Amino acid sequence: MEDVGLDAFHQMNCSHLFASSIGVGILSASLRQVMSTRLQVARDLLLLQTLMLRMGEQAGLHLDTANMIRSDLLPLTCTMVRAYYVMQWASETVVSVVQVSTVDSNLRQFDALNISEASGIIRPNKPVSQQDMTLVEMFLQEAGGAQARTLLAKNNFLDEDPCALWNAALGPAVTITGQIIWPISVNFMFAEFLMSKCQYLQLQQYIRLLQHWCEWNTSSRKFLLGQCYLNCNESQKALDNFLQAVHGVGNEDFLFSKLLQTDETQLKKLESLYFMKVIKLFEQFSLPDMVIAMATTAISLADEEDHNIPVLWSKIFKHHLELGHNEEAYAAMISNPDLVRRKDSLRQFLVVLCDRCQLQSLVEFPFIDLQDDVVNIMESRARSVDLTTHNYYDLLYTFHVFRGNFRKAATVMYEYGIRLSQEVTGLKSLQKQAKCYLACLNGLRLVEPMYAWIVKPVPVVKATFAVEAPGMSPKRTADGEERETEGSRKMEVIELEEIEKEYMLIHARLKLLQRDPDQAHMAGPTLSASETAGLLVSAGLLDNAVSLCKAFRMSLVVVFEGLTLRCITLSNQTSQYGDGDYMTDAWDWLTENDMGTVNMGKDVSPADQAWRLLQIYLDRYEEGGSRYHKCVAMKLLGHGFSLPNWFIMSYKVANPAELLRLYIDYDLLEEAALLSLDYIDAVMGKGGEYFGLKTSLIYSSPSVWLPYTSLDQLLGALRDVEVESTYAQLYEELVDKLEQYHRQVEKVTQDMIHAESKRSARAARQGMT
């Protein structure tokens, strides 16, 4: 305890010894004088030894003595001359003024190296502002003076009684200061201090003076020299010196204890830790090419099981990617043995190349053993980012197509189209949806028909069960059916035909927007097929409406009703107003539809063209029935419009009985009577081709029939209005025609009975023989 108290007393007495600017000046000048004197003595001694060796026996020098001088004394004297010269240089060289920004940069470098104050290394604290100060004076004012006073306190001259004055301590203080700065020792404090004070040029000169002869702290000096070059923007020289400094990480105190600060003793691992420190330093200066070179060297020197190898490969990948070296970045990513880091690098690789729009390069990389990860990452990005700012779906589509996986490519485009319809509105969104569905269709048409299907993305179904009574099964309901548990998914298979239908709905909306750029057509969810067909008919896009109805297996009634109404409207407008503005709109929607190749002349009106289109549609789409003829007739008759002759002729061939019923329903008795007369004649063999009859009322032909119920209704109606001469005459003619028909029926019946009797008799005779 007494020794501890005595040391504290000595340090307290020496704490301010030579601490003032005058004291530092005296100590520095004394040191300079001592070093100058010793340098002169060592120089003279070196000259004397050289002369003695040259004169040899003339100076009475024996051979053994000459060998001793040449091998021992002369090298030692040369070393002393160099050392004293360095000391004199340090005591005479003036410091450089350092700005605050330079000190801040130096502090960031220490932070990048993860060097703490506990390591004992000298850290920068304040900028240098005094210009006429020497390096030794600056050193004595701060860390060097404190160290010298600490060592001076251990000197026993303070124990003298009476205590010596300050001048008695000057000699020991100079000696101790010289020992601290002395380059031929393990002490590296002076070089550390110069680095901490940002005296980069002076430190370079100091290291250069020691370079070829001082064997102490060689690697540490290389490290500090590399830092100097780094701060002077000479990165390649810095790299060379850092690589040379690695050889001393295991045996130099500065590198091992202060820089690495580790308990590791294996040399390979120490070298790896050293490289990691230097890489962080290069990253601090934003020098990716130097980082790549350093990391590559580190990997070549490290053991295969070194845990820093994945980190080094990640560094190489990162900085190659920053420099735009995509091939090298890909190679580094593939070489990384850590699967987690490889996947992180892959995600970064994909995002960066997408942001740079280098999509072709991205797609062409082979991604050996990483294709599933690539797809998962891009799908995740595609589903998480805004569709208006980033588009990963096109990239995914190209990725799959490039590898011939057309069904996955189709799935990607279908999902993209669905998201666009749900999240983005406007004309561009609809156009993009159409392209998505077309790309999807193309992809599915390139695969085998049995595989031309995709799975529609379906959201997760979350169960919302009510609280069950005790004893109820958590997996089944009271009826024994399985419950849908939370997180279960339903899969919906979409085939080629269904995707074509969805494309047709989008295409129909685009056609509607071309005809009428109304915002209502752009916004909102996708319309149903029936709603879309109605809108197409209203816009005059009849061909598109027909295609849509056929695709969805819907009736074309809405198309024929809409076209018929347009024909009525155009005919009324033409008769009332003649040529007008309405004709422009009429020609617009007429030209949107296929009119065939019939030339109707130059003076044809829109109304005539519309009727012609109706006739073409009936000929084209009325198959095996008269459903569309009926809806057209009802629409015309309902609007009080007479049936055109061509329509009557077509309807008579398709279903004359139905036409008769319509005439009766709309009280067109005269037309009904005339139709009935012609119809009866056709049945009896006169003009049957106009009613689509292949046979007539003769015994050798198949049976024909007449709509007796409709004829009875017509006769009753004519009987009620026979007060009018026209209807009375028609009534008489129809009654006579029916009587004629009945006689013909009786005659045909008798002929058939007679023919059947002959046939029976002939068969009986043949049986007897």
Side-chain angles (χ1 to χ4, degrees), residues 686-699:
K686 184 180 179 181
E689 64 274 10
Y690 298 110
F691 286 84
L693 298 178
K694 297 180 180 180
T695 61
S696 59
L697 190 61
I698 57 177
Y699 78 93

Side-chain angles (χ1 to χ4, degrees), residues 655-703:
N655 194 341
E658 188 176 73
L659 176 60
L660 176 61
R661 286 195 296 270
L662 287 176
Y663 277 148
I664 296 173
D665 292 340
Y666 284 92
D667 292 333
L668 299 175
L669 301 181
E670 183 176 355
E671 290 80 354
L674 294 175
L675 176 64
S676 299
L677 293 173
D678 293 340
Y679 192 12
I680 295 172
D681 286 338
V683 170
M684 290 190 299
K686 184 180 179 181
E689 64 274 10
Y690 298 110
F691 286 84
L693 298 178
K694 297 180 180 180
T695 61
S696 59
L697 190 61
I698 57 177
Y699 78 93
S700 58
S701 299
S703 301

Side-chain angles (χ1 to χ4, degrees), residues 30 50 83 99 112 126 196-197 222 306 322 330 401 422 424 468 534 605 732 735:
S30 301
T50 304
Q99 303 297 327
K126 60 182 179 179
S196 68
K197 302 304 289 185
K222 288 291 184 181
D306 194 332
E322 288 180 2
Y330 173 81
V401 169
Q422 295 173 348
V424 184
E468 299 288 352
S605 67
E732 294 296 335
V735 170

Side-chain angles (χ1 to χ4, degrees), residues 718 722 727-737:
L718 290 174
E722 64 180 352
Y727 292 121
Q729 182 179 355
L730 290 173
Y731 178 77
E732 294 296 335
E733 292 180 1
L734 183 57
V735 170
D736 293 342
K737 186 64 70 176

Side-chain angles (χ1 to χ4, degrees), residues 449-681:
M450 63 182 299
Y451 299 114
W453 54 270
I454 61 176
V455 177
K456 183 177 181 179
V458 179
V460 177
V461 179
K462 294 185 177 180
T464 54
F465 299 143
V467 178
E468 299 288 352
M472 292 294 294
S473 171
K475 296 183 179 180
R476 297 184 180 274
T477 63
D479 298 330
E481 298 179 357
E482 291 188 2
R483 301 179 186 269
E484 288 185 352
T485 58
E486 183 175 358
S488 63
R489 284 185 177 272
K490 291 183 177 180
M491 291 196 307
E492 182 178 352
V493 176
I494 305 296
E495 296 183 349
L496 192 63
E497 182 181 356
E498 297 177 32
I499 300 172
E500 288 177 343
K501 293 179 181 179
E502 295 190 33
Y503 165 71
M504 293 184 70
L505 292 176
I506 297 298
H507 180 69
R509 292 182 72 175
L510 289 173
K511 297 292 290 186
L512 289 171
L513 284 171
Q514 290 180 358
R515 290 281 299 151
D516 180 17
D518 187 0
Q519 295 294 328
H521 296 321
M522 303 181 192
T526 303
L527 301 175
S528 64
S530 59
E531 293 170 338
T532 305
L535 290 175
L536 289 171
V537 172
S538 300
L541 302 174
L542 304 174
D543 282 350
N544 297 99
V546 170
S547 300
L548 187 69
C549 291
K550 283 186 170 295
F552 283 88
R553 295 181 174 85
M554 297 190 305
S555 171
L556 298 181
V557 171
V558 63
V559 178
F560 282 98
E561 288 181 347
L563 179 55
T564 304
L565 185 59
R566 283 180 174 271
C567 292
I568 296 171
T569 303
L570 285 175
S571 297
N572 292 334
Q573 289 175 340
T574 303
S575 62
Q576 294 178 9
Y577 307 110
D579 295 341
D581 295 337
Y582 71 92
M583 295 184 65
T584 303
D585 180 68
W587 283 116
D588 287 342
W589 69 263
L590 283 169
T591 54
E592 292 288 340
N593 301 286
D594 183 14
M595 299 295 299
T597 58
V598 178
N599 185 7
M600 299 187 66
K602 296 182 179 180
D603 299 330
V604 66
S605 67
D608 295 336
Q609 197 75 344
W611 287 110
R612 174 59 183 163
L613 182 62
L614 178 60
Q615 183 178 358
I616 292 173
Y617 271 30
L618 285 171
D619 294 341
R620 185 181 299 167
Y621 301 117
E622 187 73 272
E623 299 175 353
S626 60
R627 177 173 52 173
Y628 302 137
H629 281 82
K630 180 179 180 181
C631 74
V632 171
M634 292 178 65
K635 182 64 70 173
L636 290 172
L637 297 175
H639 284 76
F641 208 87
S642 59
L643 302 181
N645 290 330
W646 63 265
F647 179 77
I648 295 174
M649 294 176 62
S650 176
Y651 207 169
K652 285 163 59 175
V653 173
N655 194 341
E658 188 176 73
L659 176 60
L660 176 61
R661 286 195 296 270
L662 287 176
Y663 277 148
I664 296 173
D665 292 340
Y666 284 92
D667 292 333
L668 299 175
L669 301 181
E670 183 176 355
E671 290 80 354
L674 294 175
L675 176 64
S676 299
L677 293 173
D678 293 340
Y679 192 12
I680 295 172
D681 286 338

Side-chain angles (χ1 to χ4, degrees), residues 232-478:
C232 295
N233 297 322
E234 296 184 79
S235 56
Q236 189 59 51
K237 291 182 179 180
L239 176 65
D240 295 339
N241 281 276
F242 284 139
L243 291 175
Q244 295 175 24
V246 71
H247 304 296
V249 294
N251 51 34
E252 294 190 14
D253 182 69
F254 172 79
L255 295 176
F256 180 77
S257 300
K258 296 184 178 181
L259 180 63
L260 299 184
Q261 305 175 48
T262 180
D263 296 331
E264 185 63 56
T265 57
Q266 188 177 350
L267 182 59
K268 289 288 186 179
K269 293 185 178 179
L270 291 175
E271 291 176 351
S272 179
L273 291 174
Y274 168 79
F275 283 124
M276 293 299 298
K277 294 268 187 177
V278 176
I279 286 173
K280 291 180 181 179
L281 199 58
F282 278 127
E283 288 178 334
Q284 181 70 33
F285 282 84
S286 301
L287 296 171
D289 48 347
M290 299 296 105
V291 173
I292 293 170
M294 184 63 69
T296 304
T297 304
I299 291 174
S300 65
L301 296 178
D303 293 330
E304 293 183 358
E305 63 274 8
D306 194 332
H307 67 278
N308 287 319
I309 287 182
V311 181
L312 293 170
W313 278 119
S314 297
K315 297 284 186 183
I316 295 174
F317 162 79
K318 173 187 174 183
H319 293 287
H320 270 309
L321 193 60
E322 288 180 2
L323 294 172
H325 304 161
N326 297 336
E327 297 285 347
E328 292 80 359
Y330 173 81
M333 176 183 66
I334 295 298
S335 301
N336 200 322
D338 190 338
L339 296 179
V340 176
R341 287 185 176 273
R342 188 190 305 174
K343 190 172 182 179
D344 293 339
S345 299
L346 176 62
R347 181 179 292 104
Q348 185 180 359
F349 186 73
L350 296 175
V351 172
V352 171
L353 262 64
C354 288
D355 292 342
R356 293 176 182 170
C357 298
Q358 297 176 336
L359 304 182
Q360 182 176 357
S361 300
L362 177 58
V363 170
E364 292 176 353
F365 281 111
F367 294 107
I368 301 172
D369 299 330
L370 292 175
Q371 290 192 16
D372 292 340
D373 292 330
V374 171
V375 173
N376 292 334
I377 290 171
M378 286 197 289
E379 284 181 350
S380 177
R381 295 285 298 180
R383 292 165 181 167
S384 61
V385 300
D386 187 0
L387 292 178
T388 59
T389 57
H390 296 81
N391 185 4
Y392 286 90
Y393 285 103
D394 286 343
L395 176 60
L396 263 173
Y397 174 77
T398 307
F399 183 85
H400 289 309
V401 169
F402 185 78
R403 285 156 178 79
N405 199 337
F406 299 112
R407 199 172 87 176
K408 285 189 176 180
T411 304
V412 169
M413 283 292 101
Y414 184 77
E415 181 179 338
Y416 187 23
I418 290 179
R419 284 197 59 195
L420 284 171
S421 65
Q422 295 173 348
E423 301 176 19
V424 184
T425 60
L427 177 60
K428 290 185 178 180
S429 173
L430 290 175
Q431 292 173 341
K432 190 63 180 177
Q433 289 177 50
K435 292 179 181 178
C436 290
Y437 289 127
L438 282 175
C440 179
L441 292 171
N442 290 338
L444 291 179
R445 289 190 177 104
L446 292 173
V447 301
E448 295 292 334
M450 63 182 299
Y451 299 114
W453 54 270
I454 61 176
V455 177
K456 183 177 181 179
V458 179
V460 177
V461 179
K462 294 185 177 180
T464 54
F465 299 143
V467 178
E468 299 288 352
M472 292 294 294
S473 171
K475 296 183 179 180
R476 297 184 180 274
T477 63

